[in-house]
Amino acid sequence: MPPEQFFEAMYLKHSESMLRVAISMVRDYSLAEEIVNETFLVLWMHIHRVMKHDNPTRWLYIVLRRNAIDEVRKNKKRAEVPLNEAISKSTNADFFAFPDLLPTALSDEDKQLLIWRYERGMGYDEMARCLSISDAACRMRVKRARERCAQLLHSQQKNDAI
Amino acid sequence: MKKYNGQEIADNQSDMALSLEELEQLSPESREAFSVLDQICTSKSEEETEAILESYLASVQGDPIQKQISFDAQASLEKFRSLAANIKF
């Protein structure tokens, strides 16, 4: 069987179950979707090896578990600076514009994504169209921008406390 | 994109278990899901893997978060292909 066909068969057979297991683990639909996407990217990178594996389903779920554990650990770190809370405070602020409250060290590209998403309330589909990328790629970019923003806010908070 | 050592991915899981402290911070549903994943990861055959999975998925059908899922595998595969096309390996 050609690798593309094997991959497609694995995706069609397992993606929904993997999403259901991932959502049980992380309790967040978008995050679960990202974990499943990352798992299939890893599958594609190692497709020839997995094709020879005696239990490809188990292989997939091992990678899924690993990705979920990574996310749980990242979330634990992010929880120290709850970004939603920071964003909600910033959008309710009377005297500061939302962009001014984003960390200065955040790249212009990341700021733009967060402004579109959280200040203007743009949907992923609309943002994806503006950027000429897929909806899924857009979600991933926003997720990464959020993570970088959270890390910078966390460092900023630590520096402020010193 | 994470870097994976090919051999490490599926064969060496000892460094990737959640600690007791980490598990305690999870919801009971998350803990159960991780526990099922642990069973899947040590299953001995494809049949055993699928049986564990099937039984678990049947048991969580009533979970409200599961009811949010409306999934079209074919459409999702197309979305995944677009996503993969935007990622440089």
Side-chain angles (χ1 to χ4, degrees), chain A residues 4 7-8 11-17 19-21 23-29 33 36-38 40-42 44-46 49 53-59 61-74 76 132-137 139-141 144, chain B residues 1-2 4-13 15-19 21-22 25-27 29-30 33-34 37-38 40-47 49-50 53 56-57 60 63 65-71 73-74 76-77 79-84 86-87 89:
Chain A
E4 291 80 6
F7 179 87
E8 192 173 314
Y11 195 99
L12 294 175
K13 183 174 178 192
H14 297 292
S15 53
E16 180 171 356
S17 303
L19 181 66
R20 290 186 181 281
V21 173
I23 208 167
S24 285
M25 288 190 285
V26 297
R27 315 302 294 170
D28 179 293
Y29 191 96
E33 234 180 5
V36 172
N37 279 340
E38 285 216 10
F40 278 106
L41 283 173
V42 178
W44 182 242
M45 288 160 71
H46 297 275
R49 196 162 81 86
H53 200 281
D54 61 347
N55 189 346
T57 306
R58 190 185 67 165
W59 189 96
Y61 279 89
I62 287 174
V63 179
L64 182 81
R65 174 176 169 273
R66 171 167 289 217
N67 288 338
I69 289 175
D70 281 349
E71 284 304 328
V72 165
R73 289 185 174 147
K74 274 191 230 162
K76 191 183 161 196
S132 304
I133 58 175
S134 69
D135 186 273
R139 282 171 190 272
M140 197 160 276
R141 283 197 194 177
R144 292 189 172 143
Chain B
M1 189 64 205
K2 295 184 191 83
Y4 289 90
N5 171 332
Q7 192 59 39
E8 180 189 30
I9 294 170
D11 302 330
N12 179 8
Q13 291 300 305
D15 61 328
M16 281 307 291
L18 286 171
S19 67
E21 189 197 344
E22 286 170 321
Q25 287 167 2
L26 298 176
S27 67
E29 294 85 358
S30 300
F34 274 107
L37 256 283
D38 288 345
I40 287 175
C41 293
T42 54
S43 57
K44 304 287 179 215
S45 65
E46 187 96 26
E47 292 72 27
T49 307
E50 305 225 342
L53 201 52
Y56 173 69
L57 291 173
V60 293
D63 185 345
I65 204 163
Q66 295 289 339
K67 291 180 182 168
Q68 291 175 17
I69 300 175
S70 159
F71 192 78
Q74 190 63 51
S76 176
L77 176 62
K79 270 173 81 176
F80 177 83
R81 283 187 174 130
S82 319
L83 166 69
N86 281 293
I87 293 177
F89 290 99

Side-chain angles (χ1 to χ4, degrees), chain A residues 80-116:
Chain A
E80 292 171 32
V81 180
L83 186 61
N84 287 343
E85 193 183 306
I87 286 169
S88 144
K89 276 184 190 163
S90 65
T91 49
N92 291 332
D94 293 329
F95 303 107
F96 297 98
F98 174 73
D100 296 335
L101 293 165
L102 292 171
T104 46
L106 195 66
S107 72
D108 289 343
E109 193 187 332
D110 284 350
K111 280 182 187 166
Q112 184 70 76
L113 287 169
L114 297 177
I115 289 167
W116 281 358

